[in-house]
Amino acid sequence: MQLVERIQRALATPPSKRDLGWVRKHLQTAIALELSTIPPYLTAFWSIKPNCPAKGLLSVIVKQEMLHMGLVCNCLNAVNERPRIAAADTVVSYPAHLPGGVHPDLLVPLQRFSLDAVARVFMRIEEPEFQPVAFDAQEQWPTIGAFYTAISAAVAELSDTDFVAHHKQIEVDIPPVTLTAVNSRSDCLCAIDQIKSQGEGTPHSPMDGPGPGELAHYYVFAELLNGRALIQNDSECWVFAGAPIPYLDPVADIWPIAEVPSYGYAESLAFDFLFSEILRTLQNAWDTGNCDLVSTQSVGMMAALSREARKLMTKPKPDGSGMNYAPDFHYYEA
């Protein structure tokens, strides 16, 4: 079943039937959801050549999406259910339909950074469940925020005895993100609220995001699209009238990678094996509660994954198109 169908079914379940089993099931869906956003963002991030100032904006977003997946894994262990990370039904194949803040028929590709990708894909992934603070109302569709709101409401109805304190929790502090333990119902609610606010902000301010004075992901993408920082004017309205956002030249600053086809590339095999091993390392971490597997081993493996991506993105395809390869993020079971 497609992830979007699973989320629609979850939202259609009457609140009275959203019990502990429902919460466990849909926290697992949330792991797949969070994991599914990382490859498109990573591909765009890696496609930007080194020393481009705007690259730092995407770097923070990628790391926070990884944090979100970790928070959901901690939530699932807290309700005594094993998170499934390294699993064929958790990892999507691209191009893919993504649930949440996108139209259900939107096919998300793995592609290089461009303003079109920001507007057509990334902003729609992070689209708030409420009317964005700084934008006109758009079509209303089920969003990632709406999905998490449903989970949060169900968690609030659980008993404190449904949670197991200190059960295989992973705690990691790797600036700019800090992964905290989930040991109670209130911790779980706080984790979900953090995921929502970092992605979409709040109805009150785009600044209610990653931290004090920091923009939520949706508005960071909007800044890239508008070319100006989002600030409050004298009338306390949010406008794109701040400092210029560093411009990324499509030729000088971006590797000319082709959109990755559904069948992928044989050239991506070494990348794919390492990507699959990272997922298995993360699986082992949450199976055992071993924080070092995340803070040390997986961090080193991610650095190696970045090097493999760079090799692909600087390797021309032999078809004369002038385009280069890119990783396809295929998952291979051990």
Side-chain angles (χ1 to χ4, degrees):
M1 182 185 298
Q2 292 289 338
L3 286 177
V4 68
E5 294 175 3
R6 289 156 64 183
I7 285 186
Q8 288 173 337
R9 180 170 295 182
L11 295 175
T13 302
S16 61
K17 294 184 178 180
R18 296 176 186 175
D19 56 9
L20 179 59
W22 185 94
V23 169
R24 287 170 171 166
K25 178 180 179 181
H26 295 296
L27 282 174
Q28 177 57 49
T29 300
I31 292 174
L33 168 61
E34 295 298 342
L35 179 57
S36 71
T37 67
I38 295 172
Y41 290 168
L42 268 179
T43 302
F45 169 70
W46 281 332
S47 75
I48 303 173
K49 296 180 181 179
N51 303 319
C52 293
K55 191 164 186 169
L57 298 175
L58 276 178
S59 175
V60 173
I61 290 176
V62 169
K63 291 174 182 176
Q64 286 172 348
E65 293 299 334
M66 295 175 181
L67 167 66
H68 296 171
M69 192 183 81
L71 285 170
V72 178
C73 289
N74 277 350
C75 288
L76 204 50
N77 265 343
V79 292
N80 203 23
E81 182 78 357
R82 176 179 180 261
R84 295 194 315 279
I85 303 168
D89 63 347
T90 300
V91 186
V92 302
S93 296
Y94 299 89
H97 291 282
L98 298 179
V102 297
H103 295 286
D105 60 348
L106 177 64
L107 200 61
V108 178
L110 298 176
Q111 60 185 332
R112 59 182 171 171
F113 178 86
S114 68
L115 294 183
D116 178 70
V118 169
R120 189 177 62 82
V121 181
F122 299 158
M123 286 184 68
R124 295 178 72 193
I125 290 175
E126 304 289 354
E127 185 178 17
E129 62 177 312
F130 46 83
Q131 180 177 336
V133 171
F135 304 90
D136 294 331
Q138 300 177 2
E139 292 176 295
Q140 298 299 304
W141 295 88
T143 65
I144 291 175
F147 178 57
Y148 276 117
T149 294
I151 294 178
S152 183
V155 168
E157 296 300 318
L158 297 180
S159 168
D160 289 333
T161 58
D162 292 323
F163 292 82
V164 183
H166 311 294
H167 181 56
K168 300 177 181 178
Q169 293 296 303
I170 300 296
E171 296 181 79
V172 176
D173 186 12
I174 307 176
V177 300
T178 300
L179 175 59
T180 55
V182 175
N183 294 312
S184 64
R185 178 176 58 173
S186 62
D187 286 349
C188 186
L189 291 171
C190 287
I192 294 171
D193 184 65
Q194 180 180 355
I195 292 169
K196 288 183 58 180
S197 64
Q198 284 187 337
E200 61 183 36
T202 74
H204 311 292
S205 172
M207 288 292 183
D208 294 340
E214 295 183 33
L215 286 175
H217 299 174
Y218 180 78
Y219 299 97
V220 173
F221 286 134
E223 285 186 327
L224 288 168
L225 188 63
N226 285 272
R228 288 277 180 175
L230 185 63
I231 61 171
Q232 279 187 299
N233 61 18
D234 293 339
S235 302
E236 297 189 350
C237 294
W238 290 96
V239 293
F240 295 100
I245 299 298
Y247 173 71
L248 287 170
D249 186 282
V251 176
D253 298 330
I254 311 296
W255 296 114
I257 67 169
E259 184 175 308
V260 179
S262 59
Y263 50 82
Y265 298 119
E267 290 76 7
S268 184
L269 199 58
F271 177 97
D272 296 339
F273 284 162
L274 183 53
F275 170 64
S276 302
E277 190 59 31
I278 290 174
L279 295 185
R280 284 189 282 273
T281 299
L282 295 176
Q283 182 70 69
N284 190 21
W286 268 277
D287 282 349
T288 62
N290 187 338
C291 297
D292 287 341
L293 290 175
V294 177
S295 62
T296 302
Q297 187 167 332
S298 67
V299 170
M301 295 171 76
M302 278 300 300
L305 194 72
S306 178
R307 291 192 292 272
E308 289 295 331
R310 178 72 60 82
K311 290 178 186 177
L312 286 166
M313 291 184 172
T314 56
K315 183 176 182 178
K317 298 179 68 178
D319 57 6
S321 64
M323 305 299 284
N324 297 352
Y325 289 103
D328 55 33
F329 287 91
H330 283 180
Y331 173 69
Y332 292 95
E333 294 185 326

